[in-house]
Amino acid sequence: MDQSLTFDLDLIHRYDQAGPRYTSYPTALELHENFGEADYLRHIEQSNRLGGPLSLYFHIPFCDTVCYYCACNKIVTKNRAHAEPYLNDLCREIEMQGALFDRGRVVDQLHWGGGTPTFLSESQMRHLMVSTRRHFNLREDDEGQYSIEVDPRETDDRTIAVLRELGFNRISLGLQDFEPDVQKAVNRIQTEQETFAVLEAARNEGFRSTSIDLIYGLPLQTVESFSRTLEKILQVSPERFSVFNYAHLPQRFKTQRQIDDADIPNPEVKLAILQMVIQRLTEAGYVYIGMDHFAKPNDELAVAQREGKLYRNFQGYSTHSECDLIGLGVTSIGRVGDAYIQNVKDLDTYRRTIEQGRLPVFKGFELSRDDKLRRAVISGLICHFELEFIELEREFSIDFKTYFEQELIKLQKMAEDGLLTIDTDQILVRPAGRLLIRNICMVFDRYLTEKKQFSKVI
Ligand SMILES: C[S@@+](CC[C@H](N)C(=O)[O-])C[C@H]1O[C@@H](n2cnc3c(N)ncnc32)[C@H](O)[C@@H]1O
Ligand code: SF4
């Protein structure tokens, strides 16, 4: 497929609105408390009947210091001892959940996210992996996609070597911006030296893919300043970039109130930064995967996209099929059978539930047939920028154009604006529509209401 991207300022202005990032459909906002442990168990049974590989997500919520912009689920503490009781509970959860899934099911994907997984000490990390291996069937051939989010400020060569030894083969590094005044304004001081040392160590240890997280739209950023950050990173040529649009929702994330609104670049500057990023990364040979992600053409994400084998889950894009995802730890979200499941959000409730020998299910959502169909539509569009009707018609026994008559009428305007084409048998997102893919997906979302708080699509 053609992986090119067009930055069309006029279109972006016209379609400027807030919308979900579609790491799932329906989005996590639809999860509700009428779904409990018994429902989860029912879906695990169904999942075991179908079998297939598994994906595991572990949430390590701790961070040493707070970055003011942060919208992640985290607990800020200087006290490293806080991790110990949490890890014990997490290991008990691993044991409980491991006992429920067929032992023959191989773990093809594994991810430690946060917060900051590297908050853990070497022995704690080993403990966690040993416990996981005891209760789940982890791959020994290094062919799984085992990834971790790393904060370079508290990672060194030794940590990287241990992570590789534990089986990780993909790594992403939090960075955001190198400019001293921006770093100060967001309370995240991080040197080039420490960042690149981690990247180099990861390469030396044989990590297959290295990714750098940046955010545009942070206080005091300008096109010039952000291009300086970008050029520095391009020198070391990571396989992937995640360039996130700063989601500023101070009503929801308290620490964002530390950021002076007057310092936040205005929408014009933000767009100019995005335009510069796209231009520079494209010139440097990266392709746009979609939704903030860029990768080298030979990186597995770019290859999977060209081959029509890209997927999207709660952790972002993935090259492994949509296998059942088990969420472990506070706030983590899983997807098992036809359900999404979220664990409880605070440490005390998590501890109490685990101590009672119960699964810490907080919320969930059971997908209807219509939800699954729309999920397939949104996933096809967001991963491949195209949608073949015939495949969905076969899988869901529908006539696409009849079922989505209203949606196709709405898409007509986008087609006239050059975002996409609608043929007799497919929808094709054009290069000018790719940055606006969220808007296109939103047409198929039955749950959107004005009240819900999302970040801007661009
Ligand atoms: C869990 S953190 C990464 C690991 C580690 N905690 C670190 O910061 O180095 C995940 C990423 O989410 C992104 N992020 C956090 N808050 C954000 C926000 N408000 N808007 C956009 N991206 C954000 C950052 O790029 C961050 O690196
Ligand atoms: S960006 Fe990372 S280190 Fe900073 S507060 Fe968020 S999770 Fe913690």
Side-chain angles (χ1 to χ4, degrees):
M1 68 171 270
D2 162 29
Q3 289 178 305
S4 62
L5 177 67
T6 305
F7 182 92
D8 185 323
L9 193 58
D10 176 46
L11 277 183
I12 291 171
H13 277 308
R14 268 193 279 154
Y15 284 89
D16 177 35
Q17 71 182 119
R21 301 173 45 76
Y22 293 116
T23 48
S24 71
Y25 177 82
T27 69
L29 288 180
E30 301 312 320
L31 273 61
H32 55 78
E33 292 178 45
N34 290 333
F35 182 106
E37 192 182 1
D39 299 298
Y40 184 29
L41 293 174
R42 194 162 38 79
H43 283 277
I44 295 176
E45 262 177 45
Q46 179 200 333
S47 146
N48 279 332
R49 271 199 300 277
L50 292 173
L54 292 173
S55 175
L56 305 182
Y57 172 75
F58 297 83
H59 193 73
I60 315 295
F62 306 103
C63 296
D64 180 76
T65 53
V66 68
C67 312
Y68 295 151
Y69 58 78
C70 185
C72 303
N73 284 313
K74 70 215 171 274
I75 295 161
V76 181
T77 173
K78 290 265 177 227
N79 186 353
R80 303 268 156 172
H82 273 158
E84 203 57 41
Y86 177 69
L87 269 185
N88 291 334
D89 297 335
L90 185 55
C91 289
R92 285 190 66 186
E93 192 195 351
I94 293 170
E95 186 180 343
M96 280 193 265
Q97 295 230 48
L100 295 169
F101 287 85
D102 284 348
R103 184 66 196 185
R105 301 179 71 178
V106 177
V107 175
D108 263 357
Q109 297 182 63
L110 178 149
H111 186 83
W112 286 8
T116 306
T118 44
F119 183 90
L120 301 181
S121 68
E122 181 183 324
S123 67
Q124 288 170 334
M125 291 198 252
R126 286 185 189 282
H127 180 192
L128 180 54
M129 204 51 122
V130 166
S131 177
T132 307
R133 231 169 252 288
R134 191 174 301 139
H135 299 286
F136 285 97
N137 188 3
L138 296 198
R139 294 183 75 131
E140 304 293 344
D141 59 3
D142 206 26
E143 290 300 315
Q145 189 176 299
Y146 289 8
S147 51
I148 180 164
E149 293 167 19
V150 155
D151 183 343
R153 293 172 300 169
E154 50 182 45
T155 308
D156 57 18
D157 291 10
R158 170 80 198 158
T159 323
I160 296 296
V162 171
L163 292 174
R164 188 73 184 106
E165 183 201 319
L166 292 180
F168 288 100
N169 48 29
R170 317 279 197 288
I171 198 165
S172 67
L173 275 54
L175 166 57
Q176 330 313 340
D177 193 305
F178 272 139
E179 294 286 299
D181 57 344
V182 177
Q183 292 196 350
K184 197 160 162 247
V186 299
N187 197 38
R188 183 181 178 120
I189 310 297
Q190 178 172 335
T191 66
E192 290 158 42
Q193 201 186 8
E194 63 195 342
T195 310
F196 296 149
V198 172
L199 194 85
E200 199 185 317
R203 287 189 168 147
N204 293 340
E205 289 294 339
F207 275 84
R208 270 192 239 138
S209 179
T210 50
S211 182
I212 299 258
D213 289 354
L214 299 176
I215 304 181
Y216 73 94
L218 289 179
L220 305 176
Q221 278 178 345
T222 62
V223 175
E224 294 70 34
S225 78
F226 203 63
S227 77
R228 280 195 293 273
T229 292
L230 203 56
E231 292 307 325
K232 285 175 186 164
I233 309 166
L234 281 171
Q235 297 288 318
V236 294
S237 190
E239 273 69 42
R240 295 181 199 166
F241 279 92
S242 298
V243 191
F244 298 112
N245 177 2
Y246 173 41
H248 188 59
L249 301 165
Q251 314 89 301
R252 221 164 105 192
F253 306 108
K254 262 199 201 138
T255 59
Q256 294 188 348
R257 296 176 203 163
Q258 304 285 333
I259 291 176
D260 190 345
D261 280 357
D263 287 342
I264 295 179
N266 67 36
E268 298 307 315
V269 174
K270 272 185 86 170
L271 280 176
I273 296 177
L274 178 63
Q275 184 169 22
M276 178 277 293
V277 168
I278 291 168
Q279 190 184 335
R280 273 305 289 131
L281 290 186
T282 312
E283 277 167 11
Y286 290 84
V287 293
Y288 179 65
I289 301 296
M291 295 294 300
D292 326 306
H293 287 74
F294 296 82
K296 286 186 178 169
N298 57 355
D299 181 82
E300 59 187 354
L301 283 191
V303 174
Q305 186 173 55
R306 284 196 298 276
E307 293 177 351
K309 294 180 188 155
L310 192 64
Y311 302 91
R312 192 160 165 83
N313 61 25
F314 288 104
Q315 278 76 60
Y317 288 104
S318 149
T319 56
H320 280 260
S321 63
E322 289 168 323
C323 47
D324 283 325
L325 164 69
I326 307 172
L328 298 129
V330 275
T331 73
S332 64
I333 305 183
R335 170 202 154 147
V336 172
D338 289 336
Y340 297 136
I341 311 95
Q342 181 165 36
N343 272 356
V344 295
K345 291 191 171 181
D346 71 283
L347 284 183
D348 287 343
T349 319
Y350 183 69
R351 165 136 343 113
R352 260 185 285 115
T353 320
I354 298 276
E355 273 169 5
Q356 291 164 3
R358 290 191 293 123
L359 293 173
V361 176
F362 170 44
K363 284 180 179 184
F365 186 90
E366 219 167 79
L367 281 88
S368 68
R369 203 180 143 67
D370 176 75
D371 293 328
K372 285 189 272 180
L373 168 59
R374 287 172 191 273
R375 175 173 70 185
V377 168
I378 288 176
S379 165
L381 288 168
I382 218 159
C383 292
H384 300 114
F385 297 121
E386 63 184 40
L387 198 65
E388 303 269 357
F389 302 158
I390 186 89
E391 287 166 18
L392 294 164
E393 290 177 334
R394 273 200 207 117
E395 193 181 338
F396 292 93
S397 310
I398 53 152
D399 175 68
F400 190 92
K401 290 200 161 173
T402 312
Y403 196 96
F404 290 112
E405 193 185 352
Q406 291 307 315
E407 286 79 358
L408 288 169
I409 292 171
K410 284 189 199 154
L411 286 186
Q412 206 51 52
K413 171 88 178 73
M414 293 184 173
E416 283 159 22
D417 285 340
L419 271 65
L420 48 89
T421 52
I422 307 170
D423 301 330
T424 45
D425 52 358
Q426 65 170 3
I427 295 171
L428 213 60
V429 180
R430 298 176 61 185
R434 293 187 179 173
L435 281 175
L436 298 165
I437 189 67
R438 284 206 242 183
N439 300 62
I440 299 171
C441 293
M442 282 159 76
V443 171
F444 292 93
D445 187 338
R446 276 182 65 170
Y447 297 91
L448 279 184
T449 63
E450 296 288 314
K451 280 191 287 153
K452 292 183 180 150
Q453 263 194 18
F454 295 109
S455 56
K456 284 285 180 105
V457 297
I458 296 287

